[in-house]
Amino acid sequence: MEPETRLMPASGVPPPALRRLDDLPGPHGLPVLGNALQIRPARMHQQFEAWSKTYGPLFRVQLGRRKFLVMADHELMGAALRERPERFRRPLLGGRITREMGFDEGLFFANDDVWRRQRRMVMAGLDPGHIKAYFPSLLKVTRRLQTRWQTAARSGATIDLQADLMRFTVDAIAGLAFGADVNTLSSDEDVIQQHLNKIFPALFKRTLSMLPYWRYLRLPADRALDRSVTEVKAAIRGFIAQARSRIEADPSLREHPGNLLEAMINAADAGGSGMNDHDVAGNVLVMLLAGEDTTANTLAWMIHLLHRNPPALQRAREEVRRIAGEPSQFTPERMARLDYLEACAHETMRLKPVAPLLAVQAVRATTLADVEIPADTVVLGLMRHDSLLDRHFPHPNDFLPERWLGDGGPAQAASSAKRVSMPFGAGPRVCPGRYLALLEIKMAAAMLLSSFDIDSVDSSSGADVPEKLAFSMGPVGLRMRLRERR
């Protein structure tokens, strides 16, 4: 048996004598139930952040029989993320519930050899070169969002910001990743989006449930979820069938795929890949779900923060108009030169990470700092905690995109080994869609800043926009009013 691992902070200072998980402080719970009645899923990340101030950087929580180690230390969490997949893995429960819902796991939930094979397949279509080739498709969707907002501006209508941005991300992913023109931006029907919006929140809710009641009793919400799963699976089968038809009609797509789906099919069809259409379908779902919520929520937070910080808004607007021009003039090269706008995205992800909690599960008995962790223990990292400390970021609660502008620009600063904010994770399982997400964010934001003036970005809840966690963390009730620039 391989000896257990002992991960320490990057300082390398040996910790004191080992403690067990039960020795750690934590909120008092009830017999059997533990802390289940105290936790509010929609604001769980904020509860854990508040508890870290009481119980320190390492504490425990319990949901029924499940005990969790919660960490508010970016060095320890970074070390655990870099130890994947050998020492830590994606929690098994998420994959199990995904399969129960009728989907293949996809890269997000896969582990071990399945993850390694799927990683190669997905990365075949998400490298910067392929993303550059998808640019015309993304530009078409960006122009549709511009048209939708022009209509709202001319009529004086208030824009439901998140709903429109989710339409944008669904259309972008379906177009550039799957070659499918679903065009929810030109219609309020957006059927696929309505189904997608049921699946991830249900998955989040089920991972926190103490009792898997849905295995024995189907409530109306569960039956509605089943219908949504059926509709989305049918759409995914259609995407794959269309892509295979295009490849059969044009064999050159084997060497030069036109979108991510074609690239994944080619990688799956390669000899010895061990992949098939079921694996491709699982990753199509991951792209639709993860790509919709995370990118749309980051964009919504970024627009809100820019509007609240006029100097940053003015600097971003001037950069966009100087370098990118109007949307009809957008090119991949111009987007790459929007350093300040990209810094705004990184600063947004520091203050409002859409994944404020990141979970890993111990493959075998190991230790983190001075805590012994039994095999299969789930570790929850508080990804925002250290990002809001003065010793890591001066004036940590202020929106200061300039802090990301090092000598090498925001991309270098964001990938620095010294960084504390890890919005895309770290280590071997760093998010493969990070280049695509940043490009989508820059395209939509550049279109907004070049074409409109922002009159207001308000929440129905008042000045302090509530955060809601439903697998990804987004703002509640943001609405925007625009004036068209001429």
Side-chain angles (χ1 to χ4, degrees), residues 219-235:
L219 300 177
D222 300 299
R223 292 192 291 272
L225 174 63
D226 290 342
R227 290 192 292 272
S228 291
V229 168
T230 299
E231 292 292 336
V232 171
K233 287 175 68 175

Side-chain angles (χ1 to χ4, degrees), residues 179-254:
D181 191 6
V182 298
N183 196 9
T184 65
L185 281 166
S186 299
S187 168
D188 287 329
E189 297 298 323
D190 56 292
V191 174
I192 190 171
Q193 184 188 350
Q194 292 175 359
H195 293 305
L196 290 171
N197 289 346
K198 291 184 176 71
I199 293 174
F200 239 172
L203 179 59
F204 176 62
K205 182 178 179 181
R206 289 184 179 186
T207 57
L208 295 177
S209 178
M210 291 177 54
L211 178 66
Y213 72 88
W214 58 88
R215 296 174 186 168
Y216 316 104
L217 176 65
R218 310 298 289 181
L219 300 177
D222 300 299
R223 292 192 291 272
L225 174 63
D226 290 342
R227 290 192 292 272
S228 291
V229 168
T230 299
E231 292 292 336
V232 171
K233 287 175 68 175
I236 290 172
R237 286 195 299 271
F239 292 158
I240 294 174
Q242 292 166 17
R244 285 204 171 276
S245 295
R246 290 193 300 269
I247 293 171
E248 291 175 7
D250 183 1
S252 68
L253 293 176
R254 287 289 185 188

Side-chain angles (χ1 to χ4, degrees), residues 316-331:
R317 179 186 292 119
E318 289 173 353
E319 180 190 64
V320 166
R321 292 174 182 169
R322 182 179 72 254
I323 294 175
E326 298 297 320
S328 62
Q329 301 170 306
F330 288 0
T331 64

Side-chain angles (χ1 to χ4, degrees), residues 40 64 66 92 178 238 313 388 414 416 428 431 443 447 454:
R40 299 292 178 264
R66 290 185 287 168
L92 298 176
F178 312 134
L313 175 62
L388 298 181
S416 169
C431 175
M443 292 280 283
M447 178 277 293
I454 304 174

Side-chain angles (χ1 to χ4, degrees), residues 376-429:
D376 294 326
T377 299
V378 172
V379 179
L380 293 172
L382 305 186
M383 306 307 291
R384 179 167 57 179
H385 178 273
D386 284 4
S387 294
L388 298 181
L389 297 181
D390 271 310
R391 66 175 179 268
H392 299 302
F393 292 97
H395 308 290
N397 294 308
D398 294 341
F399 182 74
L400 298 172
E402 295 80 7
R403 68 173 93 243
W404 294 95
L405 292 174
D407 293 338
Q412 178 176 319
S415 62
S416 169
K418 296 180 180 180
R419 71 186 175 104
V420 179
S421 175
M422 295 179 281
F424 297 111
R429 293 194 69 144

